[in-house]
Amino acid sequence: MTRPTLSLVLPIYNEEEVIPELHKRLQGFMAKLGLTTEVLFVNDGSRDKSMELLRGIAEKEPRYRILSFARNFGHQTAITAGVDYARGEAVVVMDADLQDPPEVVLEMVEKWRAGFDVVYGRRRKREGETWFKLVTARWFYRVFAAMIPIEVPLDTGDFRLMSRRVVVALRELRETHRFVRGMVAWVGFKQTEVLYDRPGRFAGDTKYPLRKMVRFALDGITSFSVLPLRFSTYLGVLTSLGSVGIIVWALLSKYVWHHVVEGWTGIMIALALFSSVQLLMIGILGEYIGRIYEEVKRRPLYIVGDTVNLPARREAIEEQDAEEEPPRSASGMR
């Protein structure tokens, strides 16, 4: 099988309302693109008719490939699986809800041909988002950037193009708790941006409610920063200094002022303060220990339940890649 120039990776989770329009937009986009292209849909355990619709259009469109999980493994794992199976000289990760317009990929391809290995989409504005999500997302990226030792572009999601050598490097990173945009920044290479306006969802509801947003933020911070652990050390030192003052106050109250009863309130406050600090620090340690526990089990990141127009074994893709001559440059020119 000849390697396509471009692979589009689209995670799918309960997107039956979007798939017909997505198919229509992709057909028009690929006609304008003028490159050999494959579209890899990763069905992340959808519970609606998404897989049925995907199978129907893939039977008529040989450029469509479907990888279906045995259950829901999460958005970041779906991206990972798509990257694992993608064979293009460049790979574009994009959302299926049409908030990542396919037309922006044309600009990304131009940047890639100019020699960039990673071209990420930076959002100028975001339509259809609540003020709460806009504010929390803005501050998360800035706090995250301040806490980690690598440079992660602000106001960007997973919508990006990656050259073949970035994809190969990314496949080597197999940690369980995944923050793909941080991992792409970590591998390095020559990176640039494309500005675009992110529209609202075409249909359906967001797949990132508050609970998932919090978990996603924790995965990002704990995957790339040990600053919370250092924070516990700093806070421990600070509270230790405060406890010295409380000890002095308690001794003076007993032996100088003889106001032992009056000190009961202060003691209760101190106990409450130190207890809360201890619980906070135990919680931070627990987050990291829990992630160590998940990593040492060495379970596979995902289980493939079904495929369409695609080998079921990831090793078959790697064997095909090994048989072909690698591209001579990141621009895709042989």
Side-chain angles (χ1 to χ4, degrees):
M1 183 188 299
T2 304
R3 184 192 302 281
T5 302
L6 189 68
S7 295
L8 303 179
V9 172
L10 294 94
I12 301 288
Y13 180 64
N14 295 343
E15 298 287 6
E16 64 177 357
E17 298 177 73
V18 178
I19 288 173
E21 179 65 20
L22 174 64
H23 171 53
K24 179 182 176 181
R25 290 276 293 274
L26 286 173
Q27 290 294 302
F29 162 70
M30 289 190 289
K32 295 178 183 177
L33 189 60
L35 300 173
T36 55
T37 307
E38 67 171 2
V39 181
L40 208 161
F41 298 99
V42 183
N43 177 37
D44 186 20
S46 296
R47 299 177 181 177
D48 60 3
K49 296 181 180 179
S50 294
M51 185 59 186
E52 181 181 333
L53 292 173
L54 289 174
R55 189 185 297 276
I57 60 178
E59 289 175 353
K60 302 174 183 178
E61 174 55 85
R63 292 176 294 181
Y64 286 0
R65 319 199 189 298
I66 304 173
L67 181 71
S68 184
F69 287 166
R71 65 169 178 83
N72 177 255
F73 282 90
H75 182 260
Q76 298 295 289
T77 303
I79 291 175
T80 300
V83 171
D84 287 344
Y85 278 77
R87 300 192 64 247
E89 296 177 8
V91 176
V92 174
V93 175
M94 56 193 300
D95 287 340
D97 56 14
L98 297 176
Q99 286 189 286
D100 298 335
E103 295 75 17
V104 178
V105 178
L106 295 170
E107 298 181 57
M108 293 181 172
V109 170
E110 291 300 318
K111 296 279 189 180
W112 170 58
R113 290 202 177 279
F116 289 96
D117 290 291
V118 177
V119 186
Y120 50 85
R122 171 171 283 175
R123 298 169 290 227
R124 279 184 297 234
K125 62 180 181 179
R126 302 170 63 168
E127 299 177 3
E129 304 280 9
T130 64
W131 68 267
F132 177 78
K133 186 168 184 178
L134 291 174
V135 170
T136 53
R138 176 180 177 83
W139 281 105
F140 163 71
Y141 286 117
R142 280 149 183 79
V143 171
F144 178 69
M147 293 179 67
I148 63 175
I150 59 175
E151 183 178 350
V152 175
L154 300 176
D155 303 319
T156 62
D158 294 308
F159 185 29
R160 64 193 62 216
L161 178 149
M162 297 173 287
S163 70
R164 191 71 195 166
R165 60 177 180 171
V166 173
V167 167
V168 171
L170 202 59
R171 286 176 177 174
E172 299 297 318
L173 309 182
R174 308 306 292 181
E175 57 257 43
T176 301
H177 296 274
R178 307 184 70 78
F179 189 70
V180 174
R181 64 198 70 171
M183 295 162 68
V184 175
W186 184 86
V187 300
F189 298 107
K190 193 175 180 181
Q191 307 195 10
T192 189
E193 67 179 25
V194 166
L195 297 175
Y196 75 105
D197 296 328
R198 182 175 172 90
R201 285 183 57 90
F202 175 78
D205 300 322
T206 178
K207 302 305 184 293
Y208 265 92
L210 179 61
R211 174 179 55 84
K212 286 189 176 182
M213 287 173 58
V214 171
R215 187 170 64 187
F216 185 56
L218 286 174
D219 285 343
I221 292 172
T222 55
S223 295
F224 290 91
S225 177
V226 295
L227 191 59
L229 292 174
R230 291 176 182 167
F231 170 73
S232 65
T233 302
Y234 301 150
L235 189 57
V237 172
L238 182 62
T239 53
S240 296
L241 293 175
S243 65
V244 172
I246 292 176
I247 291 172
V248 171
W249 170 78
L251 292 173
L252 290 175
S253 295
K254 182 175 182 179
Y255 296 108
V256 178
W257 301 314
H258 305 291
H259 292 163
V260 176
V261 175
E262 286 80 356
W264 180 86
T265 302
I267 292 174
M268 292 301 102
I269 293 174
L271 286 174
L273 173 63
F274 294 143
S275 297
S276 62
V277 168
Q278 287 176 340
L279 289 173
L280 174 63
M281 296 306 103
I282 291 172
I284 292 175
L285 289 172
E287 287 291 335
Y288 282 90
I289 293 171
R291 280 156 172 74
I292 294 171
Y293 170 68
E294 294 290 341
E295 294 294 338
V296 298
K297 287 189 289 188
R298 305 300 296 169
R299 290 178 180 172
L301 297 179
Y302 53 86
I303 303 295
V304 176
D306 193 12
T307 61
V308 179
N309 297 337
L310 196 67
R313 294 171 54 250
R314 178 179 161 221
E315 291 78 7
I317 299 292
E318 295 174 348
E319 290 168 4
Q320 290 177 358
D321 289 344
E323 292 173 359
E324 297 181 3
E325 180 186 358
R328 295 177 182 174
S329 70
S331 63
M333 304 300 293
R334 292 186 179 274

